Amino acid sequence: MEWIQQLVNGISLGSIYALIALGYTMVYGIIKLINFAHGDVFMLGAFIGFFAIARWEMNVFLALILAMILCAIIGVIIERVAYKRLRNATRIAALITAIGVSLLIEYTVIFFRGASPSAYPTVFETSNFEILGVKISTQSILILSVSIFLMILLQFIVHKTKIGKAMRAVSHDADAAKLMGINVDNTISATFAIGSALAGAAGVIFGIYYTRIDPLMGVLPGIKAFIAAVLGGIGIIPGAMVGGLVLGVVETIVSALGYSLWRDAAAFVILILILIIRPSGIFGKNAREKV
Amino acid sequence: MTHKSKMKKYGSLFMATALLTGALAGCGTNEDTSSSGGSSNAVSGDVIKIGANLELSGGVASYGSSIGDGAKLAVEEINAAGGIDGKKIELITVDNKSENAEATTAAIRLAEKDKVVAMLAPATSGNALATVEIANKYKVPIVTGSGTAPNVTVNDNGSVNEFAFRTCFIDPFQGTVAANFATKDLGAKNVAIYADNASDYAKGLAASFKETIEANGGTVVAEEAYVAKDVDFKSTLTNIKGKNPDFVFIPGYYEEVGLIVKQARDLGIDVPLMGADGWDSPTLIDLAGAEALNNTYITNHYSSEDPDASIQKFVEAFKGKYKEAPNAFHALGYDSIYFIVDAIKRVDGDVTGEAIQQQLAATKDLSLITGTFTVDEFHNPVKSATVLEFVDGKQEFNSKVNP
């Protein structure tokens, strides 16, 4: 029974990683930029949700939607201000800018509210129910269903809508897409908007589930989500979902085996191994880069 | 032409050398007069400056600001009563952002620039430890209100840090009290320990707890660890649950403990949970929720519910100023100031850091809010501990345990 319980724990953690990883992977897939500020958008989402629920007394779902909308706007602003003019610059310049944006967001938040943590308000009474001796809280069910719903919605957007089609085209070949009359700038903005909205949602979910939020909370989950994205194959949406879930479960198993102090190390070992053994990730095809 | 330019060249070279020599000479004289040369800071003028190197922002800001509030109240009271021989106390507060390096810098600033004669050291053991060297170097005594790790005042080789003092008891003592409480009062037999592996504080408590439990005939069925800043404890807690302990000891700080308590209750761990003074923060109740905290205990320095008259007088004064009941950190901050002031009052002649240090070490039977104490040879106060129980989000006085 203990193992089923551990699996439940791992999936709950993994679904949050997966939500953040989706944004990473989408942005990378389209403009080949590792957006290190993504973890901080996640943090901003958590704080927007916190203020919406605790100060403005909003309903959880409204708070979630508000956080997603505001994070989408923030994501677009970040792209327009910091990344757009670097689109033709070297990859390393864009990467360093991303780190700079990340630090800017973190310390701006610390400047305005200090670095001490806040506790998320209790949004619904947690009731536990047992299946075969496994305790599952209504919270984790709700969180899991919201995560899965958002992932399905994303798949729908990418595969069934016009903007999704444009995103796939830009990802494949931006110049050719431009020739075919696709507005590349708007498509990239839409990608940032969708990715950041998902990060914002993950922030709110994280706050509800783990209670504690602080301005530097995005750093580690951000890196973990990046690992999840690489694990699944960076640029591939189902890969990010699977990568996130796998990472969550692996971390839980490492703790369950009694090596709780090694769980963060385990994530990085996975990153190193995947880069050595299969750099294109679980779902990646071994495509050669054009010369 | 060439001759002239040569002259210019040599001239500038000469000027540069002269300037450089002058600068070097300046350095030399500075060093002679700086306080690092041996003599300690002394009081001059009508104010006695006491520094406060506190965590006002960052991870454990709640401790530092509480100590600061308690200290401010004490300073106000003493100044209102005429100060020390007519001299007013000035409290100079510096924020160390809950970081070791910042704590060191803040201590240097207080000793060097503000010339304080004594200072409150940071609230946590790690940050306090970062200032011990500075205290010894500038010969300015430091008093930590809540740095409970033994090595703040005593080095690992057994030598005492001459200028470091504290008003709280040390970690091993709290671990022992908790273990005795678990076996004797609650009848626990199979206990689990879930300790913060990133802090000396928690490791010290866990070690002495384990030792006493085993001495009392109990068994440690699980010993797990976490690292500060973790948020997901469910997998380890599931492990602990599988070992069926009847008591779980969780030494750590409120930021993580709040989440651990909540997640433990979510997983159905209903046995008593216990911690120490690191749990004492209103944030703990926000994080864990009042209901999850039922059936949990902490050892602490004092309780505002304690019926003792002097404690109730302090509680009233505190409520008058801050509109809330003082917690243990408030009381320790308040006591730390009275501890220093008591020593300053006993100084004969010039009030210097060294003179204060001698009087602090000689303190006997000083009656303060957190107990009547005598400073022992290791600069630790010998005094009693209080066990508190959380009932619906409120701390209730359970019992007092003597060393």
Side-chain angles (χ1 to χ4, degrees):
Chain A
M1 285 318 106
E2 221 175 292
W3 285 102
I4 305 176
Q5 179 78 63
Q6 295 290 22
L7 202 63
V8 171
N9 297 341
I11 291 172
S12 314
L13 178 66
S15 60
I16 292 175
Y17 287 158
L19 268 185
I20 313 175
L22 287 171
Y24 258 112
T25 238
M26 285 172 68
V27 168
Y28 183 86
I30 292 199
I31 54 170
K32 301 281 177 284
L33 165 73
I34 295 168
N35 180 14
F36 273 111
H38 196 67
D40 301 297
V41 175
F42 159 77
M43 177 270 291
L44 289 173
F47 274 101
I48 293 167
F50 171 76
F51 284 112
I53 297 169
R55 302 281 160 80
W56 309 322
E57 292 170 356
M58 269 186 180
N59 168 302
V60 189
F61 292 100
L62 282 179
L64 188 75
I65 291 165
L66 179 76
M68 288 177 73
I69 293 171
L70 291 182
C71 283
I73 295 169
I74 292 165
V76 172
I77 293 172
I78 291 173
E79 196 269 331
R80 283 283 150 103
V81 173
Y83 302 148
K84 193 179 174 192
R85 60 201 72 204
L86 290 172
R87 213 168 278 159
N88 296 317
T90 54
R91 296 264 286 272
I92 194 80
L95 183 73
I96 291 168
T97 307
I99 295 172
V101 171
S102 159
L103 290 171
L104 179 73
I105 295 174
E106 284 162 17
Y107 288 90
T108 308
V109 174
I110 290 181
F111 178 79
F112 283 112
R113 70 168 291 287
S116 52
S118 293
Y120 242 66
T122 323
V123 279
F124 19 62
E125 288 308 309
T126 22
S127 52
N128 286 307
F129 56 91
E130 271 189 62
I131 307 169
L132 303 165
V134 176
K135 288 252 182 193
I136 301 174
S137 64
T138 37
Q139 245 178 29
S140 29
I141 299 273
L142 189 101
I143 282 159
L144 200 59
S145 24
V146 170
S147 304
I148 291 171
F149 170 75
L150 288 174
M151 290 179 208
I152 294 171
L153 183 70
L154 180 65
Q155 278 296 58
F156 175 79
I157 291 173
V158 171
H159 289 283
K160 304 281 177 202
T161 63
K162 211 169 162 188
I163 188 75
K165 207 171 190 178
M167 277 158 64
R168 281 181 291 144
V170 172
S171 149
H172 198 74
D173 190 333
D175 290 330
K178 203 180 261 170
L179 290 176
M180 300 312 288
I182 291 172
N183 187 332
V184 175
D185 281 342
N186 284 351
T187 311
I188 291 174
S189 291
T191 312
F192 268 87
I194 295 170
S196 303
L198 290 173
V204 178
I205 289 174
F206 183 95
I208 295 169
Y209 195 61
Y210 289 116
T211 325
R212 190 187 70 200
I213 57 168
D214 66 80
L216 297 178
M217 66 184 269
V219 179
L220 205 54
I223 294 174
K224 296 280 180 65
F226 168 66
I227 296 174
V230 174
L231 177 64
I234 197 151
I236 303 160
I237 287 170
M241 281 191 250
V242 174
L245 290 173
V246 168
L247 191 66
V249 172
V250 167
E251 276 192 17
T252 308
I253 290 173
V254 170
S255 299
L257 291 174
Y259 300 103
S260 50
L261 298 175
W262 288 90
R263 58 188 294 167
D264 288 346
F268 290 97
V269 169
I270 291 178
L271 176 65
I272 293 167
L273 288 180
I274 199 87
L275 289 176
I276 294 172
I277 300 166
R278 199 181 157 80
S280 52
I282 300 174
F283 285 66
K285 289 183 217 70
N286 250 336
R288 269 166 208 273
E289 283 213 19
K290 279 173 286 183
V291 183
Chain B
M1 271 305 270
T2 45
H3 183 71
K4 221 175 186 181
S5 67
K6 226 176 204 171
M7 278 293 282
K8 240 184 188 169
K9 206 171 167 187
Y10 283 128
S12 58
L13 199 67
F14 172 72
M15 281 296 284
T17 322
L19 275 174
L20 202 67
T21 332
L24 283 173
C27 272
T29 43
N30 270 347
E31 210 150 81
D32 289 342
T33 51
S34 90
S35 51
S36 60
S39 65
S40 58
N41 293 349
V43 168
S44 53
D46 290 343
V47 286
I48 296 176
K49 284 184 185 168
I50 297 179
N53 180 351
L54 297 170
E55 292 85 344
L56 301 179
S57 62
V60 286
S62 147
Y63 302 145
S65 10
S66 294
I67 294 222
D69 287 349
K72 264 181 243 155
L73 177 64
V75 168
E76 272 176 27
E77 282 182 9
I78 293 163
N79 285 343
I84 305 170
D85 297 335
K87 287 180 180 168
K88 298 273 186 229
I89 301 171
E90 189 189 339
L91 193 69
I92 301 166
T93 311
V94 183
D95 179 13
N96 61 36
K97 304 192 178 103
S98 304
E99 284 169 16
N100 289 351
E102 290 281 346
T104 311
T105 317
I108 294 173
R109 199 205 112 167
L110 287 169
E112 180 123 359
K113 180 164 159 275
D114 299 315
K115 303 276 182 212
V116 298
V117 289
M119 53 181 131
L120 292 185
T124 63
S125 299
N127 291 340
L129 204 52
T131 66
V132 167
E133 277 308 304
I134 309 304
N136 287 338
K137 186 179 168 201
Y138 290 91
K139 303 204 185 306
V140 172
I142 55 168
V143 176
T144 172
S146 56
T148 48
N151 62 347
V152 174
T153 58
V154 184
N155 295 313
D156 292 336
N157 62 15
S159 64
V160 175
N161 284 319
E162 286 306 321
F163 284 84
F165 294 86
R166 65 178 118 223
T167 34
C168 51
F169 39 63
I170 57 172
D171 294 339
F173 178 67
Q174 286 198 79
T176 310
V177 169
N180 284 334
F181 181 77
T183 49
K184 291 173 185 161
D185 291 47
L186 300 177
K189 293 206 164 48
N190 299 318
V191 304
I193 302 172
Y194 192 20
D196 178 353
N197 200 49
S199 87
D200 292 342
Y201 161 76
K203 284 196 278 189
L205 277 167
S208 65
F209 177 83
K210 190 182 175 193
E211 203 175 286
T212 314
I213 282 287
E214 284 167 353
N216 289 354
T219 320
V220 177
V221 292
E223 225 179 321
E224 298 275 0
Y226 64 91
V227 204
K229 300 280 166 210
D230 273 359
V231 286
D232 186 273
F233 305 96
K234 285 198 167 168
S235 48
T236 313
L237 287 168
T238 306
N239 258 2
I240 290 175
K241 194 190 171 198
K243 304 270 172 54
N244 285 318
D246 49 20
F247 180 90
V248 186
F249 185 54
I250 313 170
Y253 296 122
Y254 63 88
E255 272 196 60
E256 286 81 25
V257 168
L259 305 189
I260 293 174
V261 169
K262 177 172 180 279
Q263 293 176 16
R265 296 299 191 220
D266 281 352
L267 288 169
I269 299 177
D270 300 321
V271 299
L273 309 176
M274 187 162 185
D277 57 341
W279 286 33
D280 191 17
S281 161
T283 313
L284 176 78
I285 296 146
D286 293 340
L287 289 172
E291 202 187 324
L293 275 169
N294 284 334
N295 201 17
T296 62
Y297 302 85
I298 57 173
T299 53
N300 211 340
H301 305 268
Y302 120 111
S303 160
S304 63
E305 308 287 320
D306 195 322
D308 187 278
S310 63
I311 294 180
Q312 287 312 315
K313 192 173 150 244
F314 160 69
V315 171
E316 285 314 308
F318 192 90
K319 277 184 180 162
K321 183 166 161 64
Y322 296 106
K323 316 274 175 268
E324 55 166 338
N327 64 31
F329 289 92
H330 293 128
L332 287 166
Y334 181 85
D335 275 5
S336 300
I337 291 292
Y338 271 100
F339 178 46
I340 295 170
V341 166
D342 172 70
I344 296 176
K345 280 183 180 164
R346 285 186 280 119
V347 167
D348 257 347
D350 283 351
V351 178
T352 63
E354 273 169 304
I356 296 173
Q357 187 271 345
Q358 281 166 13
Q359 295 305 327
L360 284 172
T363 302
K364 262 202 175 64
D365 298 326
L366 175 63
S367 199
L368 296 174
I369 298 306
T370 61
T372 298
F373 73 76
T374 299
V375 173
D376 71 8
E377 54 183 316
F378 302 114
H379 292 186
N380 296 322
V382 180
K383 60 177 190 179
S384 55
T386 304
V387 174
L388 304 172
E389 182 182 358
F390 283 95
V391 178
D392 297 326
K394 294 258 177 341
Q395 295 181 357
E396 291 197 353
F397 180 72
N398 185 293
S399 53
K400 223 171 198 173
V401 186
N402 285 313

